[in-house]
Amino acid sequence: MLKEKLKEKLKEKLKEKAEQIAKIPREYELEIEDYVEKKKGEERVLFAWKNTINKNEEISIELDGSGSLTFFSKNLKVEHHHDDVLTDVQLKEIALQFVNNHYPDAIQMFKMNKRELINDKRIRLTYTQYELNLPLPNTGFYIDVTKQGEIVNFKYYGRAQNISFPNEIMTKEKALDIFLNELNMNLLITNLSSEIYENENADNLPHLVFEPNFPLVNVPADPKRDGLLRENEEINESGLEALPSRVEGQTNIEELIGLNFNIFKKIRETDLGSTIGTVWRMEVDEPDDSDRSILGFYQKRNENTIKLIKDKNSGEIKGVFSFMEKQGALKLNQEECFEIAVQFLFKIFPKADSYFQLVPSKTESKDSRASFHFQMNHQEVPIRFGNVVVTVNQTKGTVDHYMGPDVDPQKVIMLNTQPSVSELKAKEMFKEHFDVELQWTKEYNQENVEGTYQMEYKPIYPLLIKELAFIEAQSGEFILKK
């Protein structure tokens, strides 16, 4: 009892400090108040406030058990600044003064790693711990300041706890040979999204591409350490099963997912870029909003809801996520659920049997739900993110979960799968732009959940402005990541 009282006093004290740091305006109300005790006795408390007038604006702050600031974020959808833009020197001075107020030794302890312009509106300064003249990721801190001098983001990582220094360091030439001797150029079909890739070819359409692939994820700097092998994600094409030509049924999509517009009301709509997300809930199922923990926050947002994701232009359903807790009276078997899953697939893709095959699964259904995986195929060329998952509720006969493909199957089947650029030519092009450099990375495993920093050789592309993702197999153009 005494411990609980002390905890409540600590939470109130931390809340007062958080409000002082964040300078919460009157129109904001507290939405999240979450107290967490982590391993090794570490404590964290997170507070989040939302603007009651402009629901898209929020302020979040995290303190550790001693009251030190570890995270601060001010999300402003509407700019409230005057038009006067400060100089870089002034902005840096404001940012570092904020850091110095909370961590007086941080600026001397860490070294400036980079300065970035984000969304043409704010400057990010990143200070990092260096060892052997190389930066350790997720150490030190970063801070964002708007061009008008307002602090809108701050994250403090601190110093690295576990560092494994190499006994000796492999030469760069040896590391380069290891990478290039194991290089494969994998031919595949993928959607070149303009949100992910830089080039003119990033036209949001499927393309035939070569993807550079190394069996090793990394090459350790210490030659006595073994590299981590990349997992093989390929599916055995010979095990796939054809779909029935058609599954009869007059049920519409809304009935198949259990969404009755006479009962459900739309409670949220979110612009997700190329898609729109909507959330639906029965009016009688309004959740309890007294729990301000993170768990309570997400329960409030998800409890007894159905979420839909639709393509902005075509209106095609890209995802369905049901969080309806009430179960039905049915006891459908695997075969009956499969018929519903295929019926749903044909509602979205009328020629589904021309595009998809069933991936056999040996796992049995869980939690009264049966899941089915379908793989898109086109002339035996692998299709990235062409898979579909449909999960059917065995007690209600509705589709509780659906994840559609990222590529349009009608456009995929129009692709010529014979590349104009040979695999050998693609490999030569890649080698001309490929290099490696030493970097610190943090590795985790079951025995070491905290992670240990290891020095490794990583791929770089010094002649390109960004990292290479693919080589377009018809034009030979390099596709770069944003």
Side-chain angles (χ1 to χ4, degrees):
M1 190 69 176
L2 179 60
K3 185 177 180 181
E4 289 299 318
K5 286 184 177 180
L6 290 173
K7 185 184 292 187
E8 287 302 316
K9 284 185 177 181
L10 175 61
K11 287 172 66 173
E12 283 302 315
K13 184 178 178 181
L14 293 175
K15 183 180 176 183
E16 288 177 10
K17 183 166 185 178
E19 290 173 337
Q20 291 171 0
I21 294 172
K23 298 180 175 61
I24 306 299
R26 289 184 178 180
E27 65 269 23
Y28 281 68
E29 67 177 9
L30 186 64
E31 188 171 43
I32 296 176
E33 181 178 356
D34 196 64
Y35 183 88
V36 180
E37 291 187 49
K38 297 186 177 182
K39 291 183 178 180
K40 298 182 179 179
E42 292 181 3
E43 298 166 326
R44 289 285 188 274
V45 60
L46 174 67
F47 300 98
W49 293 265
K50 177 165 283 190
N51 190 328
T52 57
I53 300 172
N54 188 339
K55 299 292 185 181
N56 292 322
E57 295 190 355
E58 56 190 16
I59 298 173
S60 302
I61 192 166
E62 183 187 73
L63 306 173
D64 65 19
S66 65
S68 296
L69 178 66
T70 55
F71 175 75
F72 170 69
S73 174
K74 183 180 288 187
N75 183 17
L76 300 177
K77 296 296 182 183
V78 180
E79 298 295 332
H80 296 296
H81 307 303
H82 51 77
D83 295 328
D84 294 338
V85 175
L86 303 181
T87 67
D88 277 4
V89 173
Q90 290 172 313
L91 294 176
K92 183 176 181 180
E93 184 178 339
I94 290 170
L96 295 188
Q97 183 58 55
F98 180 92
V99 176
N100 194 62
N101 290 342
H102 296 280
Y103 294 94
D105 299 328
I107 299 169
Q108 288 72 40
M109 191 185 305
F110 305 113
K111 181 180 177 181
M112 186 169 174
N113 185 14
K114 56 185 173 181
R115 173 197 178 279
E116 302 170 271
L117 179 62
I118 300 177
N119 297 330
D120 200 35
K121 293 180 180 179
R122 51 196 168 98
I123 306 296
R124 172 168 294 182
L125 302 178
T126 302
Y127 280 66
T128 309
Q129 178 180 342
Y130 276 69
E131 296 293 344
L132 301 181
N133 295 320
L134 294 174
L136 283 84
N138 297 332
T139 60
F141 64 88
Y142 70 78
I143 185 166
D144 295 359
V145 56
T146 67
K147 289 183 176 181
Q148 293 76 20
E150 182 172 7
I151 305 298
V152 291
N153 267 314
F154 173 72
K155 173 67 178 177
Y156 185 80
Y157 296 103
R159 291 188 62 82
Q161 298 300 312
N162 303 312
I163 305 175
S164 176
F165 290 94
N167 294 318
E168 57 179 303
I169 296 179
M170 181 189 301
T171 64
K172 177 180 174 179
E173 291 71 24
K174 175 65 175 176
L176 194 60
D177 285 344
I178 292 174
F179 271 112
L180 293 181
N181 287 339
E182 300 291 337
L183 171 65
N184 296 310
M185 299 300 288
N186 294 342
L187 189 68
L188 58 93
I189 294 170
T190 189
N191 206 58
L192 295 184
S193 168
S194 58
E195 296 177 0
I196 302 174
Y197 305 109
E198 289 277 1
N199 309 59
E200 292 181 3
N201 266 333
D203 50 11
N204 301 305
L205 295 173
H207 286 252
L208 185 70
V209 299
F210 283 107
E211 180 180 42
N213 178 270
F214 305 101
L216 287 174
V217 175
N218 57 16
V219 173
D222 192 330
K224 294 181 180 178
R225 282 184 56 224
D226 293 327
L228 179 65
L229 286 173
R230 193 180 303 276
E231 292 185 9
N232 188 356
E233 299 177 353
E234 292 184 8
I235 296 175
N236 184 3
E237 296 276 349
S238 61
L240 301 177
E241 298 177 6
L243 299 187
S245 58
R246 189 77 185 178
V247 175
E248 295 300 327
Q250 301 302 318
T251 308
N252 60 38
I253 287 180
E254 286 74 26
E255 289 181 46
L256 281 168
I257 64 178
L259 181 58
N260 185 338
F261 292 119
N262 294 323
I263 302 174
F264 284 78
K265 69 173 182 178
K266 183 166 65 175
I267 60 173
R268 280 196 310 279
E269 181 171 300
T270 307
D271 189 331
L272 302 173
S274 61
T275 58
I276 292 287
T278 56
V279 183
W280 303 79
R281 175 184 280 134
M282 288 186 183
E283 293 191 45
V284 296
D285 288 331
E286 289 297 330
D288 175 23
D289 61 357
S290 60
D291 184 358
R292 289 201 173 106
S293 68
I294 292 180
L295 180 61
F297 171 77
Y298 284 108
Q299 283 179 338
K300 182 170 65 175
R301 290 177 65 86
N302 296 331
E303 191 174 276
N304 289 322
T305 63
I306 295 177
K307 298 186 178 184
L308 298 182
I309 298 176
K310 289 187 177 183
D311 185 273
K312 269 186 183 177
N313 299 319
S314 67
E316 176 192 314
I317 293 179
K318 309 293 287 185
V320 175
F321 309 90
S322 176
F323 297 91
M324 302 298 293
E325 296 179 356
K326 187 176 180 180
Q327 298 296 299
L330 300 177
K331 294 183 179 179
L332 301 179
N333 59 33
Q334 197 82 358
E335 185 177 340
E336 291 169 320
C337 289
F338 175 70
E339 288 187 7
I340 294 171
V342 174
Q343 185 181 347
F344 178 82
L345 196 59
F346 271 102
K347 289 291 183 183
I348 298 178
F349 302 104
K351 295 182 179 180
D353 55 321
S354 301
Y355 310 141
F356 300 100
Q357 291 175 292
L358 176 67
V359 180
S361 175
K362 296 180 181 179
T363 59
E364 297 184 0
S365 56
K366 294 181 180 180
D367 302 324
S368 300
R369 289 176 173 85
S371 292
F372 303 93
H373 296 251
F374 304 92
Q375 182 177 322
M376 193 185 300
N377 60 82
H378 179 47
Q379 298 182 10
E380 299 184 353
V381 176
I383 301 171
R384 177 68 51 81
F385 304 129
N387 289 2
V388 169
V389 179
V390 183
T391 301
V392 178
N393 188 307
Q394 293 175 284
T395 72
K396 295 192 291 186
T398 56
V399 173
D400 279 2
H401 176 246
Y402 164 71
M403 280 296 293
D406 280 355
V407 289
D408 184 341
Q410 290 182 309
K411 292 184 171 66
V412 166
I413 62 173
M414 302 294 291
L415 281 180
N416 177 8
T417 58
Q418 296 301 315
S420 299
V421 178
S422 69
E423 181 181 352
L424 180 61
K425 177 62 176 176
K427 188 176 288 190
E428 290 174 353
M429 293 168 63
F430 175 82
K431 288 181 177 180
E432 289 175 1
H433 292 79
F434 179 77
D435 204 349
V436 296
E437 71 175 9
L438 282 171
Q439 296 179 14
W440 287 106
T441 60
K442 200 170 187 180
E443 294 186 2
Y444 303 87
N445 54 50
Q446 292 181 342
E447 292 76 28
N448 182 14
V449 294
E450 298 294 325
T452 299
Y453 285 95
Q454 309 274 5
M455 186 177 283
E456 299 169 350
Y457 279 100
K458 291 285 189 179
I460 59 168
Y461 304 90
L463 300 180
L464 304 176
I465 58 173
K466 294 288 179 66
E467 182 181 350
L468 176 67
F470 309 108
I471 296 176
E472 219 281 345
Q474 305 298 357
S475 67
E477 181 181 2
F478 284 6
I479 308 300
L480 307 180
K481 297 179 182 179
K482 279 194 171 180

